[in-house]
Amino acid sequence: MTHDGELRLHLQRVLRAPRSVVFRALTEPQELTKWWGPDGFAIPSVESDLRPGGSYRIAMQPPEGDLFYLAGEFVEVDPPERLSYTFRWEDPDPEDRETVVKLSLRDIGAARAELVLSQGDFATERRQALHEEGWTQSLDKLEELMSSYAST
């Protein structure tokens, strides 16, 4: 996870759906609300202007606690292969800084896609670990959602 002294996150999944379906799940607000966020979190709203330079804002509601937001701008939008965007918390923790999320997709056969996610650079190992936990739980939910697509 650490490259050249920088704190980065790197995750990989094989999903049971074509990359075009996965890309929609990564970008369409109504799909994001189905899988985004750590376990137990609700996503009351997603605003998105999906284009390079466009912005997004996601409302997140933990099981216990106040609603909060993450936001950023799209850097690259290349359906269905690549998506990258900045990631920043509104009212960030003092250990936070804006990071960049990069997602790439490639088809593996007719009905599977490999998703590779990288994010960084984090200010502290603690913030990196927090994001790793959140992404892992989110991607577990995305994997389940894509498996249900495969069975329909």
Side-chain angles (χ1 to χ4, degrees):
M1 271 187 257
T2 305
H3 303 285
D4 303 325
E6 299 296 332
L7 294 172
R8 299 175 193 257
L9 180 62
H10 181 83
L11 298 170
Q12 197 169 343
R13 292 289 174 101
V14 173
L15 304 167
R16 293 179 53 191
R19 68 183 175 169
S20 60
V21 173
V22 177
F23 192 87
R24 282 195 302 273
L26 296 172
T27 57
E28 292 182 3
Q30 67 274 17
E31 294 299 312
L32 279 167
T33 63
K34 296 175 184 176
W35 65 270
W36 185 272
D39 293 344
F41 277 60
I43 307 302
S45 68
V46 177
E47 301 167 19
S48 177
D49 180 12
L50 186 64
R51 62 180 177 82
S55 63
Y56 72 92
R57 187 173 191 237
I58 300 173
M60 298 179 68
Q61 179 70 54
E64 296 176 16
D66 296 330
L67 185 74
F68 63 94
Y69 296 89
L70 70 95
E73 289 78 39
F74 293 103
V75 177
E76 182 180 21
V77 179
D78 184 12
E81 295 175 15
R82 284 186 300 282
L83 178 69
S84 66
Y85 49 87
T86 61
F87 186 114
R88 70 178 175 279
W89 299 109
E90 292 185 359
D91 301 323
D93 182 279
E95 291 185 349
D96 277 328
R97 67 175 163 207
E98 184 174 272
T99 58
V100 175
V101 174
K102 295 179 181 179
L103 301 159
S104 63
L105 292 162
R106 71 178 180 94
D107 280 326
I108 303 173
R112 289 181 183 258
E114 178 188 55
L115 170 66
V116 176
L117 176 147
S118 67
Q119 184 180 7
D121 296 325
F122 294 97
T124 67
E125 289 180 8
R126 214 164 62 131
R127 297 315 281 180
Q128 178 192 28
L130 176 82
H131 281 260
E132 181 177 17
E133 180 180 9
W135 275 117
T136 297
Q137 292 175 12
S138 294
L139 293 178
D140 287 348
K141 291 188 281 185
L142 178 62
E143 194 169 1
E144 186 176 321
L145 180 65
M146 293 297 100
S147 291
S148 69
Y149 165 81
S151 63
T152 58

